[in-house]
Amino acid sequence: MVRGIGASSGIAMGRAFVIPTWEWDFPDKLIDVADLAYEFERLYDGIRHSKDEIEQIKQEFVSVLGEEQTQIFDAHLAILEDPVFMNEVQGIMQRQYKAAEVAVKETIEKFVNMFDLLDDGYMKERALDIKDVGNRLLKHLLGALEETLPPKDEPYVLVAKELIPSQMVHLDVNQTLGLVTMMGGKTSHVAIMARAMGVPYVLGVEGKLSTPIQTGDYLIIDGDEGLVFVNPPEQEIERYRQRRETWKAQQELLLQLADIPSQTEDGMTMNLAANISSIKELEQAIAKGTSGVGLFRTEFLYMNRTSFPEEEEQFVVYREVAERLNGKPLVIRTLDIGGDKHLDYLELPEEENPSLGYRAIRIMLDRTDLFKTQLRAILRASHYGNIKIMYPMISSLDELRRANDVLNEVKAELAEANVAFRADVPVGIMIELPAAVMISDLLAKEVDFFSIGTNDLVQYVLAVDRMNEQVAHLYDPFHPAVLRMLKITVDNAKRFGTHISVCGEMAGDVRALPIWIALGITELSMSVSSILHVKNSLIQSRQSEASTIWQELAACPSSTAVLQVLGRYWETGIVAASKGPKPSESDN
C-alpha cells in the first residue's frame, strides 16, 4: 500500500494502463539566414493549427465539464498569444538561427524549469500548461503525433508520471476507472477536471513505490484516503469490493433523503445549503435537495482565462443560478483572490506569506473598478432571485464601511440609469479572522448576516498553514481555542439579532453536528457531496440531547477530549444506532 494525496473521491479497481514518460527528441537543427522567413511562417502556421485544435477540443469537452471549467483551454490559448513566450521563441530563431521546433522546445524547457524552481505550488502546476501547449505546437511543427492512447475496449486505471489537460480530453469517462499520477497538485487543472468528471484520482506517489507500476498490474485506488494498492492480495480486493458496493448502496439510500425535511427528531429545522463554484455543481446540489447556496465562490469565474470577466458575463451567471434556485437563498461572495488563488492576468506583489498578505477584500478596496463591476452584476441579478452579498476577509469596521460605500455608489449609479435591482439586498461578511471574531459585537450591528468560514479561521487561530506538510498535522478544527472563537461569534450574533451560518469544512463534518445544534446554528453550507451525509445524521439527532453538550465541551482541555465528548454523545443516543451508520470522519 502506498499513501499519496486524494484529489478526487471514490474507489477504483482494475488493471493499470501506464502512459510511458515521453519527451520530444530531435537534433539541434540550424538554418540559413535566408530560411528565416520560411521558419517564421512555419511557426505561425503551427500556432494557427494549435489554436484551432484547442478551440475544437474545448467545444467537444463542454458537455463533460460545463462552460466554466472549459475555460482551462482559454488559458492554453493565452499561452500561444503571450508576447513573453513568443518573443523568447522568435529571439532564439533570430539570434541563434535555430529551426522553429528547436526554438519552441528550448523555450518550453526554459519556462518549465523556471516555474519548477519557484516555491509556489500554483506556478509549478502552470508549468504543465506550458508543456501541454508547447507539445501541441511541436506536434504541428514536426507533422507527427506520437501519443500512446489507452485501450477503448476495456476499462482501466490510468497511470502516468503527470497528466496534462489535453490528455484528459481523450479519455473515455465510461472506460476510465480512476487516475494515478506520480506528480501533480490538488489545485491543478487535471485535478479539477477529474472531480468534474467524477473519476477517482490519487496523485503524489513519486518515490513511494518500491517498484514502478506496469501496464496490466491490478490496482485499487482510494481517492478519499489517497491510497494506492498494487497487485494486492485477494482478501484486500474483496474488502474493497465490499466497500465499493456498500458505498454505492449508501449513495442510493442517501438520495432518498433529498426531498425530506432537514430537521431533528424533535423538530429543530436546520437548513443545509451548498458551497458551489459553478452551475454544474448547482445542478448536483439541487438534485440532493439543497436549501440554497450558502457560498458561491465567484473567483472561479475569474480563473483559467485571459482577462477579467465583463459585467454582462457575470450577470448572466449570477442570474441563472438565482433563477434555478427558484426563490431559495443565494449567497454570492465577492472576489476572494490572492493567497493560494492566482489570476494569470493580475499581477500581485511577491509575498513571503501570501495568506497574511494582499488578498480578497484588501484587493477589491484598492481596485474599486473591479469591485464595482462585480457588484453591478450581482445587484442586477438580485432582481431575479433571493440574492445576498458577502464580503470575505473582513478584519475591521473600516473595511466593512468602505465596502458598503462602494456598494452604495453602485446602487446610486444603477438607480440613476433606471436599472432594476433589489435596493435592500442583504449584506453580510465572512467571519474567518480572529480580529473579526473579537469585534463581532461591533460588526453584528452593521451587517445582516455572518457566515463562519472555518477553514481560514482554524488556520489563523492556530497559525497553521494546512498546505505546509511540516505543520499540517497541527491544523485542528476541534481545538478548544477554535470552539471558543465559535461561541463568541454566535453569542454576539444572537445578541444583535444577526443571522449566522457556517460555510467551512466543519459544516460538512458530521462529528461537529452536535456543536452546531448546541450553539443554536440553524444553517450550514457545505460541499455538495456532504449534504445528504449531514442530513442523514441530522434526522437521527435530537436537539434536546445535543443542547446540553456545550457546557461539557467548554471545559475540554484538548481536541482529543472534545472528540471524546462528541463520540460519547453519538453513542449514547443522539443518533439511534439501529437507524444507520454512526458518524465518522470518513462521512464528510
Side-chain angles (χ1 to χ4, degrees):
M1 183 268 286
V2 175
R3 182 175 294 278
I5 299 170
S8 182
S9 64
I11 295 171
M13 305 170 66
R15 298 291 174 184
F17 176 82
V18 182
I19 298 180
T21 301
W22 171 85
E23 299 288 345
W24 291 101
D25 187 20
F26 47 81
D28 196 357
K29 179 183 176 183
L30 298 179
I31 58 173
D32 190 271
V33 64
D35 295 328
L36 264 179
Y38 171 69
E39 287 299 309
F40 275 119
E41 188 57 37
R42 288 182 61 229
L43 175 65
Y44 300 144
D45 280 344
I47 291 171
R48 282 193 292 272
H49 287 305
S50 297
K51 285 183 176 180
D52 289 344
E53 192 172 60
I54 292 171
E55 287 285 4
Q56 182 179 355
I57 288 172
K58 178 181 176 181
Q59 295 307 314
E60 290 175 353
F61 217 50
V62 69
S63 61
V64 177
L65 286 181
E67 191 69 41
E68 292 82 17
Q69 301 295 5
T70 53
Q71 291 171 356
I72 288 169
F73 299 106
D74 292 333
H76 287 198
L77 291 170
I79 293 170
L80 290 172
E81 297 169 352
D82 188 332
V84 177
F85 181 81
M86 295 313 303
N87 287 343
E88 183 70 24
V89 175
Q90 293 168 336
I92 292 173
M93 294 170 66
Q94 288 176 320
R95 293 189 302 270
Q96 302 178 38
Y97 299 108
K98 291 187 175 181
E101 61 269 21
V102 179
V104 169
K105 182 182 179 183
E106 289 186 8
T107 301
I108 296 171
E109 292 171 348
K110 174 181 177 178
F111 279 91
V112 168
N113 291 336
M114 181 175 67
F115 284 2
D116 280 342
L117 290 173
L118 295 175
D119 188 20
D120 185 318
Y122 177 87
M123 297 307 292
K124 289 178 184 291
E125 288 159 11
R126 298 295 76 78
L128 281 180
D129 294 317
I130 294 283
K131 188 180 292 186
D132 191 353
V133 173
N135 280 339
R136 186 180 303 281
L137 179 53
L138 284 174
K139 179 194 72 174
H140 289 294
L141 289 171
L142 294 170
L145 177 60
E146 303 229 359
E147 288 187 275
T148 305
L149 298 177
K152 294 185 177 181
D153 55 349
E154 59 181 298
Y156 53 86
V157 176
L158 190 67
V159 180
K161 181 174 183 181
E162 58 187 5
L163 286 170
I164 51 182
S166 63
Q167 288 173 311
M168 294 288 286
V169 173
H170 296 294
L171 297 183
D172 183 342
V173 179
N174 297 318
Q175 295 291 93
T176 307
L177 301 172
L179 305 172
V180 178
T181 59
M182 306 303 109
M183 304 169 66
K186 291 186 73 171
T187 60
S188 69
H189 288 150
V190 168
I192 292 170
M193 295 168 81
R195 289 191 288 271
M197 296 163 68
V199 177
Y201 179 22
V202 174
L203 55 85
V205 298
E206 187 168 45
K208 300 177 181 179
L209 294 161
S210 56
T211 58
I213 298 173
Q214 304 290 331
T215 293
D217 283 344
Y218 191 88
L219 302 182
I220 300 173
I221 69 170
D222 184 336
D224 295 290
E225 299 295 329
L227 302 178
V228 178
F229 298 81
V230 183
N231 295 320
E234 184 58 38
Q235 59 266 32
E236 194 69 59
I237 295 174
E238 182 58 30
R239 185 170 75 90
Y240 264 91
R241 187 178 290 125
Q242 291 177 4
R243 278 190 59 184
R244 187 175 59 182
E245 292 306 310
T246 300
W247 180 85
K248 288 180 180 178
Q250 287 177 338
Q251 299 311 300
E252 292 177 2
L253 287 174
L254 286 173
L255 281 174
Q256 298 176 18
L257 304 179
D259 296 325
I260 72 170
S262 297
Q263 59 184 33
T264 63
E265 281 189 340
D266 48 1
M268 175 189 174
T269 297
M270 182 176 289
N271 293 321
L272 303 181
N275 298 338
I276 69 167
S277 58
S278 68
I279 291 175
K280 190 175 185 68
E281 284 184 291
L282 173 66
E283 294 170 352
Q284 297 168 356
I286 291 173
K288 293 186 177 181
T290 182
S291 64
V293 169
L295 173 61
F296 186 2
R297 298 185 179 97
T298 60
E299 53 269 20
F300 287 89
L301 295 177
Y302 291 72
M303 300 175 77
N304 302 317
R305 55 186 299 139
T306 60
S307 61
F308 292 104
E310 298 291 338
E311 176 186 332
E312 191 65 24
E313 180 182 350
Q314 295 187 60
F315 163 69
V316 168
V317 173
Y318 303 150
R319 174 178 174 174
E320 181 174 356
V321 175
E323 289 181 332
R324 289 197 185 190
L325 284 170
N326 195 28
K328 293 180 180 178
L330 165 60
V331 179
I332 300 179
R333 183 175 68 186
T334 59
L335 182 60
D336 184 6
I337 208 68
D340 62 344
K341 291 172 282 190
H342 301 255
L343 302 180
D344 293 335
Y345 50 87
L346 175 63
E347 286 194 23
L348 296 177
E350 291 189 12
E351 300 174 301
E352 290 188 9
N353 195 332
S355 294
L356 299 179
Y358 192 54
R359 55 173 293 199
I361 199 67
R362 299 169 181 177
I363 295 176
M364 299 303 268
L365 291 176
D366 280 351
R367 291 294 305 272
T368 54
D369 56 325
L370 302 178
F371 199 19
K372 292 178 78 170
T373 296
Q374 183 174 37
L375 290 175
R376 277 196 299 270
I378 295 172
L379 285 171
R380 288 173 57 198
S382 71
H383 181 66
Y384 300 91
N386 185 8
I387 286 178
K388 304 177 183 182
I389 298 173
M390 182 163 67
Y391 306 135
M393 198 78 177
I394 292 292
S395 63
S396 68
L397 278 172
D398 178 63
E399 285 177 331
L400 171 59
R401 290 169 178 170
R402 288 171 59 198
N404 279 335
D405 286 344
V406 177
L407 177 63
N408 289 330
E409 288 178 21
V410 174
K411 287 182 178 180
E413 292 168 2
L414 291 176
E416 186 176 355
N418 291 319
V419 175
F421 69 95
R422 181 182 172 186
D424 62 345
V425 61
V427 176
I429 61 171
M430 294 275 286
I431 299 290
E432 52 190 338
L433 300 180
V437 172
M438 299 313 295
I439 62 167
S440 54
D441 57 333
L442 304 177
L443 293 167
K445 299 175 185 178
E446 303 196 23
V447 297
D448 296 302
F449 65 92
F450 286 161
S451 186
I452 302 175
T454 57
N455 300 359
D456 271 340
L457 183 60
V458 174
Q459 176 170 260
Y460 291 125
V461 168
L462 302 181
V464 172
D465 179 358
R466 59 180 176 158
M467 303 304 291
N468 183 333
E469 293 182 2
Q470 299 300 313
V471 297
H473 65 284
L474 298 174
Y475 182 90
D476 183 0
F478 294 96
H479 192 290
V482 175
L483 268 59
R484 294 183 185 201
M485 287 280 180
L486 296 174
K487 185 68 162 64
I488 292 171
T489 306
V490 172
D491 286 349
N492 283 328
K494 290 180 177 179
R495 179 181 167 195
F496 293 99
T498 303
H499 179 71
I500 185 166
S501 63
V502 182
C503 67
E505 289 297 315
M506 277 186 78
D509 189 334
V510 295
R511 295 174 302 170
L513 185 57
I515 296 175
W516 311 130
I517 298 176
L519 289 174
I521 296 286
T522 58
E523 182 174 343
L524 303 175
S525 189
M526 62 201 71
S527 64
V528 175
S529 61
S530 298
I531 292 174
L532 294 180
H533 288 284
V534 174
K535 180 182 279 191
N536 182 50
S537 294
L538 177 70
I539 62 177
Q540 299 177 75
S541 303
R542 289 190 290 274
Q543 181 187 15
S544 58
E545 297 285 345
S547 60
T548 63
I549 287 180
W550 186 258
Q551 191 171 2
E552 194 172 355
L553 290 175
C556 288
S558 67
S559 59
T560 300
V562 168
L563 290 170
Q564 286 174 346
V565 170
L566 294 174
R568 191 162 60 250
Y569 270 88
W570 284 118
E571 290 289 342
T572 57
I574 296 178
V575 174
S578 63
K579 293 187 178 180
K582 297 183 182 71
S584 66
E585 188 172 3
S586 63
D587 286 331
N588 69 77

